């Protein structure tokens, strides 16, 4: 559905929350149904050359132990996920240039021997690299735009360029990836108007997946003392995304669960249809420390499936590509 910026601002600030969430939940049910896609998330390196002010993995955070999984470690996690029935693997890392084109392509090829769809979330790379990853078998790519306010972006992501990030999205789209992007809600100095712009931007580029989560201040970053985003505003933003792009995939993000023990269930009842359980080897999970409380969100899969049952949702058995209704 189309919404004007003014209508979005109204929904973000004035509309009764429950009525917005119910509406988004209904649109979700009508457009993508009651099944929930599970994606196995493997966080294979917490090494990052960037210095995003909000992120616990920023290079200036010297208090975190860094790790990098070997190809065999990664394949072990993949195999576990495949045995559990996952149909999508998501490979995520900081911007770790040890994993060059050749290494990433080798990993992609090994994973694609299994019957799974593969999503990469490894940051900004060149067109050539994205092309090589696609040729090696990658199906989808996640790269959040974080915010569409360029000044805000440049103040939070020193030495990075918003235009380059946008170019990455365009390149990925051109190369035929399913495209995932998203934002953080409640960043310092982020306005409601700016969140409305973000939503219109994600609609305009017609993302296939939109990940929306609250900003959560990390104690070992320059934003340690800032206020974080709220669950309510994050859920509203996510619900409006569902209204704007009815048929896309929308994850109930881990950051929502980190703020509230029922955050993901609330999200699933407010427009979300995807969960990304963490399948990284136990020993490394706590080191992928993007924001506080993230590790506590990891729950056993049988508990997740019970919870899904309790809200009348089933676990999808297919790859979970976007089934375009309108385009
Ligand atoms: N709070 C919430 N989300 C964060 N991310 C990074 N740091 C934080 C934080 N402190 C998100 C960013 C990034 C994704 C991998 O994690 O949106 O794209
Ligand atoms: Fe690196 Fe991503 Fe964290 Fe930025 S948000 S420091 S690019 S891991």
């Amino acid at each position: 559905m189309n919404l004007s910026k003014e209508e979005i601002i109204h929904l973000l600030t004035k509309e009764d929350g429950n009525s917005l969430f119910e509406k988004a939940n209904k649109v979700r049910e009508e457009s993508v149904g009651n099944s929930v896609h599970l994606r196995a998330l493997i966080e294979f390196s917490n090494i990052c050359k960037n210095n995003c002010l909000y992120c616990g993995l920023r290079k200036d955070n010297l208090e975190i132990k860094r790790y990098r999984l070997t190809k065999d470690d990664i394949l072990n996690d993949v195999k576990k996920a495949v045995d559990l029935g996952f149909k999508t693997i998501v490979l995520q890392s900081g911007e770790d240039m040890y994993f060059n084109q050749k290494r990433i392509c080798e990993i992609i090829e090994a994973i694609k021997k299994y019957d799974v769809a593969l999503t990469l979330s490894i940051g900004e790379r060149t067109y050539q690299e994205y092309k090589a990853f696609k040729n090696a078998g990658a199906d989808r790519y996640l790269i959040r735009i974080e915010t569409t306010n360029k000044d805000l972006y440049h103040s939070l992501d020193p030495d990075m360029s918003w235009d380059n990030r946008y170019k990455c999205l365009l390149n990925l789209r051109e190369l035929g990836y399913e495209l995932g992007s998203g934002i953080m809600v409640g960043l310092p100095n982020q306005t409601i108007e700016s969140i409305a712009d973000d939503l219109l931007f994600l609609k305009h580029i017609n993302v296939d997946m939109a990940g929306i989560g609250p900003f959560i201040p990390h104690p070992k970053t320059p934003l340690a003392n800032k206020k974080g985003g709220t669950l309510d505003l994050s859920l509203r933003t996510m619900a409006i995304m569902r209204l704007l792009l009815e048929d896309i995939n929308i994850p109930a993000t881990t950051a929502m669960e980190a703020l509230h023990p029922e955050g993901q269930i609330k999200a699933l009842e407010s427009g979300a249809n995807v969960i990304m359980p963490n399948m990284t080897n136990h020993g490394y999970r706590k080191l992928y420390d993007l924001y506080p409380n993230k590790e506590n969100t990891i729950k056993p899969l049988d508990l997740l499936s019970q919870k899904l049952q309790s809200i009348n949702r089933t676990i999808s058995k297919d790859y979970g590509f976007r089934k375009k209704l309108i385009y």
Side-chain angles (χ1 to χ4, degrees), residues 48 50-52 54-55 57-58 93-95 146 157 160 290:
C48 188
N50 293 331
N51 224 357
C52 305
Y54 41 81
C55 178
L57 303 189
R58 65 198 306 271
S93 69
E95 291 201 7
E146 315 293 4
D157 301 77
M160 293 176 78
L290 295 168

Side-chain angles (χ1 to χ4, degrees), residues 1 27 72 88 145 147 162 227:
M1 106 180 28
V27 170
D72 286 346
T88 291
I145 196 71
T147 171
W162 190 92
K227 257 179 67 187

Side-chain angles (χ1 to χ4, degrees), residues 60-120:
D60 283 357
N61 182 8
L62 303 178
E63 295 182 48
I64 174 179
K65 193 174 151 216
R66 303 284 172 169
Y67 73 92
R68 193 178 264 153
L69 299 192
T70 64
K71 183 178 165 196
D72 286 346
D73 288 335
I74 297 172
L75 289 173
N76 274 335
D77 290 343
V78 169
K79 184 155 186 331
K80 260 190 314 185
V82 169
D83 289 344
L84 286 164
F86 283 92
K87 286 290 188 191
T88 291
I89 303 291
V90 182
L91 281 188
Q92 187 168 81
S93 69
E95 291 201 7
D96 178 357
M97 294 306 136
Y98 167 84
F99 288 102
N100 56 17
Q101 177 176 316
K102 182 162 172 284
R103 291 194 170 104
I104 292 288
C105 284
E106 283 168 10
I107 295 166
I108 294 171
E109 280 157 17
I111 294 177
K112 288 299 282 189
K113 297 214 160 73
Y114 296 96
D115 179 25
V116 288
L118 177 59
T119 306
L120 296 180

Side-chain angles (χ1 to χ4, degrees), residues 127-128 130-131 134 166-179 205 208:
Y127 183 89
Q128 280 316 315
Y130 286 154
K131 189 171 176 185
K134 188 80 184 46
Y166 178 49
K167 186 80 186 126
C168 286
L169 285 166
L170 298 180
N171 287 343
L172 290 160
R173 161 68 21 97
E174 184 191 318
L175 287 163
Y177 283 91
E178 266 212 341
L179 189 58
I205 62 169
D208 302 301

Side-chain angles (χ1 to χ4, degrees), residues 126-168:
T126 63
Y127 183 89
Q128 280 316 315
E129 286 173 291
Y130 286 154
K131 189 171 176 185
F133 303 156
K134 188 80 184 46
N135 289 340
D139 301 284
R140 310 185 184 125
Y141 207 100
L142 304 181
I143 181 164
R144 286 187 176 177
I145 196 71
E146 315 293 4
T147 171
T148 52
N149 180 321
K150 290 193 193 187
D151 290 339
L152 180 60
Y153 182 87
H154 291 129
S155 74
L156 295 174
D157 301 77
D159 310 321
M160 293 176 78
S161 143
W162 190 92
D163 288 332
N164 190 57
R165 205 161 182 84
Y166 178 49
K167 186 80 186 126
C168 286

Side-chain angles (χ1 to χ4, degrees), residues 185-187 214-217 226-230:
V185 170
L187 289 165
F215 156 64
I216 306 177
K226 299 288 180 188
K227 257 179 67 187
T230 64

